[in-house]
Amino acid sequence: MVFSNLVFLFIFLPLVLVTYYLVRNELRNYLLLGFSLVFYAWGEPKYVVVMIFSIILNYIFGLLVHSFRNHKSLNKIILGAAILTNLLVLGYYKYINFLINNINELLSTNIHMDPVVLPIGISFFTFQAMSYVIDVYRQPGEVQKNPFDLALYVALFPQLIAGPIVRYNEIAAQIKKRFVDIEKFSEGIRIFILGLSKKVLIANQVGFVADAIFNKPTSEMSVLLAWIGIIAYSLQIYFDFSGYSDMAIGLGKMFGFDFSKNFNYPYISKSIGEFWRRWHISLSTWFRDYVYIPLGGSRVSKFKSYRNLFIVWGLTGLWHGASWTFIAWGLYYGIIIALERAWLGGFLEKLWTPIRHAYVILIFLIGWVFFRADNFSYSFDFIKTMFGVNQQPLYDKLSIYYLYDYGAVILLAMIISTPIMPFIVRKVNKLVSNSFLQFSNQLIVSGILLFLLIVNIVHMVNSTFNPFIYFRF
């Protein structure tokens, strides 16, 4: 089930909210858990067993780590077994097809295996479950002895299948006790509607352009068409994923949970290091805290610190998908961040700010080509076309068509991907001083949100099923 779906908006969500606020406080966690399992099982019921297995597995490992806390050597073995078991489950579903295909190609073998279907969101809930056991081992995370509360942490439907990746110690207290008032509930609705608008009104529209262009052979593209395609995809993936994260955060607030922000206007960054501190924040900090720092981080020799950097970015690429293009995409950013640490960062700081922004934009646009394309051949040909190396025409009729029909949407998306709108809102709020003007301002904002919701519903009625990009991770 997806958030940008009429069944979710008009049946599932109202039913959850009404029953949640009708039952006694001590029953609410069980109710949320039940609905979360239904939410996950909606598309492929059999894969809910995988998630339940993950919950039981990590519940047991958490208890073992807690019980043998004073036996350091044994406790390390238990933690290692927990991490290995989680990675084996994730590896089987996510990478077994990739592994067999590569073995067959490298060794000229003919190993046959029916394709293993990837359970939706397995990377997200596996990383959450692993972080729980690791935090219990490190002691800041209190062990959860109630299996249903741990299950709620892993399976909570707002952030279950596409994040943000929530640490257990961040919401452990909220699972036990949380409070919602009308102000917090209203904020949740506002954030949810804005996130829904990002997905339906922007991501889906520019996504149509990106998909159409990337489905064309590069030999049939003009230079301008290639640039329109990658810009459209860059906007699609940002608004699709940040829109989902906003909806998850908004839904969480409706039930009393506070999830951390997952995006902070990454496209305004002045370096690639800054870009990744603003993009998919929960994943970046997860790799920092559970991989990079345990390896020694930057506190070791230069060689080892760069080694740690490449390990993290290789794993980041692999986390996103079982493909050499994803691994190359991760290492591509690892190389650039290593260069920024070595000397490029200092050089960039001396440059005019617009040039620094242009540098970041160029780097992530090239990076998204590898992320979006299915193979290296198409990726390199696409990039060559972007820079006119393939001797393609500068523009063609199709590129003019997309500019004419979708240029306004693309331009609006560019503007909204910057903090310009929040800046204007803050200025307006400062000007509104007396109570009457504040009330009028609130009415206007409510009217705008209602209008956006209606427009979203109209689009959803007239559109086909359009899942979130990060569901496949």
Side-chain angles (χ1 to χ4, degrees):
M1 191 181 298
V2 298
F3 298 155
S4 55
N5 178 279
L6 296 175
V7 174
F8 177 83
L9 280 180
F10 291 103
I11 298 177
F12 183 86
L13 183 58
L15 188 60
V16 181
L17 287 170
V18 170
T19 52
Y20 179 84
Y21 285 104
L22 283 178
V23 302
R24 301 195 307 272
N25 287 343
E26 57 267 27
L27 298 177
R28 287 178 174 176
N29 281 357
Y30 299 103
L31 181 81
L32 270 183
L33 176 59
F35 274 109
S36 295
L37 294 176
V38 171
F39 176 86
Y40 187 77
W42 187 262
E44 286 287 349
K46 63 182 179 180
Y47 292 116
V48 75
V49 176
V50 178
M51 185 176 65
I52 292 173
F53 173 75
S54 177
I55 292 167
I56 294 171
L57 182 76
N58 288 285
Y59 173 73
I60 294 170
F61 275 123
L63 291 178
L64 288 173
V65 166
H66 178 72
S67 299
F68 292 96
R69 190 180 299 282
N70 296 325
H71 304 273
K72 292 186 178 180
S73 297
L74 179 58
N75 217 14
K76 284 184 178 179
I77 294 172
I78 295 170
L79 177 65
I83 294 171
L84 180 61
T85 308
N86 276 287
L87 292 178
L88 284 174
V89 173
L90 178 62
Y92 171 75
Y93 283 103
K94 192 161 185 174
Y95 305 108
I96 191 65
N97 299 328
F98 176 65
L99 180 63
I100 289 174
N101 289 338
N102 279 276
I103 289 174
N104 285 337
E105 286 185 16
L106 288 171
L107 304 178
S108 299
T109 55
N110 193 26
I111 302 171
H112 175 73
M113 180 177 178
D114 291 334
V116 176
V117 179
L118 180 69
I120 291 175
I122 188 171
S123 298
F124 287 94
F125 68 70
T126 300
F127 270 34
Q128 285 204 180
M130 284 173 60
S131 70
Y132 161 72
V133 178
I134 296 169
D135 284 350
V136 172
Y137 174 82
R138 291 176 172 178
Q139 296 186 359
E142 180 184 346
V143 68
Q144 178 53 259
K145 296 183 179 180
N146 184 333
F148 296 103
D149 283 352
L150 181 64
L152 179 62
Y153 159 67
V154 175
L156 188 60
F157 77 88
Q159 47 77 55
L160 169 60
I161 50 182
I165 300 171
V166 179
R167 311 285 183 84
Y168 180 75
N169 55 16
E170 291 176 354
I171 65 166
Q174 298 174 41
I175 288 174
K176 291 181 180 178
K177 187 177 181 181
R178 54 193 176 273
F179 174 75
V180 183
D181 57 14
I182 189 66
E183 185 177 345
K184 187 171 185 176
F185 192 88
S186 300
E187 185 185 5
I189 293 174
R190 178 183 64 81
I191 295 172
F192 179 85
I193 292 175
L194 292 176
L196 182 66
S197 301
K198 282 184 176 182
K199 166 62 176 171
V200 176
L201 303 183
I202 299 179
N204 287 358
Q205 308 308 310
V206 295
F208 172 80
V209 177
D211 291 344
I213 294 175
F214 272 89
N215 285 333
K216 291 179 66 66
T218 54
S219 59
E220 298 178 12
M221 290 183 195
S222 65
V223 173
L224 179 58
L225 190 65
W227 280 98
I228 293 171
I230 194 54
I231 290 170
Y233 181 70
S234 301
L235 295 169
Q236 178 196 10
I237 195 169
Y238 170 68
F239 283 101
D240 189 282
F241 194 15
S242 68
Y244 182 95
S245 295
D246 288 347
M247 284 187 267
I249 292 167
L251 287 168
K253 288 188 180 296
M254 295 182 203
F255 298 101
F257 292 97
D258 291 307
F259 302 144
S260 298
K261 181 186 290 188
N262 207 23
F263 287 84
N264 185 23
Y265 298 104
Y267 288 166
I268 68 166
S269 302
K270 297 186 287 295
S271 71
I272 294 302
E274 181 188 354
F275 176 85
W276 281 104
R277 290 191 294 274
R278 291 173 174 270
W279 178 282
H280 201 348
I281 299 168
S282 62
L283 179 67
S284 300
T285 55
W286 197 98
F287 273 111
R288 181 197 67 195
D289 295 344
Y290 297 112
V291 180
Y292 183 70
I293 291 176
L295 286 172
S298 57
R299 302 185 308 276
V300 292
S301 65
K302 281 189 177 182
F303 172 79
K304 288 184 177 180
S305 68
Y306 288 130
R307 176 208 64 186
N308 298 341
L309 200 61
F310 285 117
I311 289 173
V312 166
W313 282 102
L315 292 175
T316 301
L318 194 61
W319 181 89
H320 279 88
S323 166
W324 288 111
T325 55
F326 281 120
I327 296 172
W329 172 81
L331 293 175
Y332 165 80
Y333 279 110
I335 291 169
I336 294 166
I337 291 174
L339 290 173
E340 287 188 352
R341 287 192 180 183
W343 61 272
L344 186 57
F347 173 75
L348 287 171
E349 288 180 0
K350 300 174 184 177
L351 297 178
W352 187 37
T353 298
I355 294 176
R356 297 172 67 186
H357 286 307
Y359 151 78
V360 173
I361 291 169
L362 181 63
I363 294 295
F364 71 65
L365 286 177
I366 292 173
W368 287 135
V369 173
F370 290 100
F371 195 90
R372 176 61 176 80
D374 296 326
N375 55 69
F376 287 117
S377 177
Y378 189 91
S379 300
F380 287 119
D381 283 343
F382 194 99
I383 293 169
K384 287 178 182 178
T385 302
M386 286 171 62
F387 293 98
V389 178
N390 281 347
Q391 297 182 338
Q392 298 296 98
L394 286 177
Y395 66 94
D396 55 14
K397 289 182 180 179
L398 193 57
S399 59
I400 300 302
Y401 162 77
Y402 283 128
L403 281 180
Y404 182 80
D405 271 23
Y406 293 92
V409 176
I410 291 173
L411 180 60
L412 179 64
M414 289 179 176
I415 294 170
I416 297 176
S417 67
T418 70
I420 291 175
M421 297 303 293
F423 174 79
I424 294 172
V425 171
R426 286 195 300 271
K427 288 294 184 182
V428 170
N429 288 337
K430 284 184 179 180
L431 293 173
V432 176
S433 55
N434 64 57
S435 57
F436 175 75
L437 288 176
Q438 289 177 355
F439 177 73
S440 301
N441 187 45
Q442 290 173 358
L443 282 180
I444 292 170
V445 171
S446 300
I448 292 171
L449 290 173
L450 180 60
F451 174 75
L452 285 174
L453 180 60
I454 293 170
V455 174
N456 279 308
I457 292 169
V458 171
H459 273 267
M460 286 188 286
V461 168
N462 294 319
S463 66
T464 56
F465 177 71
N466 199 320
F468 292 87
I469 292 174
Y470 266 68
F471 275 14
R472 60 181 172 142
F473 305 132

